[in-house]
Amino acid sequence: MSKITGGCLCGEVKFEVKNDFSQFHLCHCQQCQKITGSAHASNLFCQAEHINWLSGIDKTKRFDYPNRHFARVFCTECGTGVPYLVNKGKTLIVPAGSLDLNEDTVLNVAPQDNIFWHERAPWYDVALTAPTFAGFPK
Ligand SMILES: [Zn+2]
Ligand SMILES: [Zn+2]
């Protein structure tokens, strides 16, 4: 089973995880919009023991949202969301954006659905058809 490395933007937190994910959900709920500062969370699920922390776990902080199974673990230096345990420690949620992916990386799962779609950002439908540029707009 191949492994994929990941980490935060500043480089303090590093990990590797097996490319053996069971689920991949894009969550558009209002809590995920807040906590990512973006349109949706992109969450991969796998077994808890599939991760190997390489550095910086002491630089992370956990936030548990009250009254719901919803959490975020982030680098206290740069704020990047990194993997965290749910389901009494049995399941690991890996924010897809924290993985070191390139165009040759093939995840064993593809995004399977857009959940909490009725809560999606009111600008999201327009964003899907907006022009694309390789970098900043001309
Ligand atoms: Zn960081
Ligand atoms: Zn959500």
Side-chain angles (χ1 to χ4, degrees):
M1 188 65 63
S2 66
K3 288 184 173 176
I4 298 175
T5 60
C8 67
L9 185 60
C10 80
E12 289 279 356
V13 184
K14 288 186 166 57
F15 62 88
E16 59 183 11
V17 64
K18 284 186 190 170
N19 188 7
D20 187 18
F21 299 100
S22 57
Q23 301 175 54
F24 190 176
H25 301 287
L26 308 184
C27 185
H28 294 258
C29 81
Q30 292 179 339
Q31 290 80 19
C32 284
Q33 289 179 46
K34 282 281 185 194
I35 214 155
T36 62
S38 191
H40 58 77
S42 306
N43 289 331
L44 291 151
F45 288 61
C46 69
Q47 293 175 40
E49 59 272 20
H50 284 187
I51 193 167
N52 179 27
W53 292 94
L54 302 174
S55 70
I57 196 165
D58 57 318
K59 294 283 199 316
T60 63
K61 186 172 179 353
R62 183 179 180 112
F63 168 75
D64 281 285
Y65 188 68
N67 308 322
R68 225 187 103 190
H69 295 294
F70 181 86
R72 182 169 172 93
V73 173
F74 56 94
C75 170
T76 54
E77 185 64 28
C78 69
T80 300
V82 296
Y84 57 96
L85 292 169
V86 294
N87 188 23
K88 299 191 172 94
K90 286 184 254 174
T91 304
L92 186 78
I93 296 183
V94 180
S98 71
L99 294 173
D100 302 328
L101 303 179
N102 61 49
E103 65 225 23
D104 299 323
T105 314
V106 180
L107 291 173
N108 80 304
V109 290
Q112 61 197 95
D113 48 29
N114 291 276
I115 63 174
F116 288 86
W117 184 245
H118 64 293
E119 293 184 24
R120 71 189 180 280
W123 46 264
Y124 189 66
D125 291 4
V126 176
L128 290 173
T129 55
T132 58
F133 298 95
F136 288 114
K138 301 282 182 285

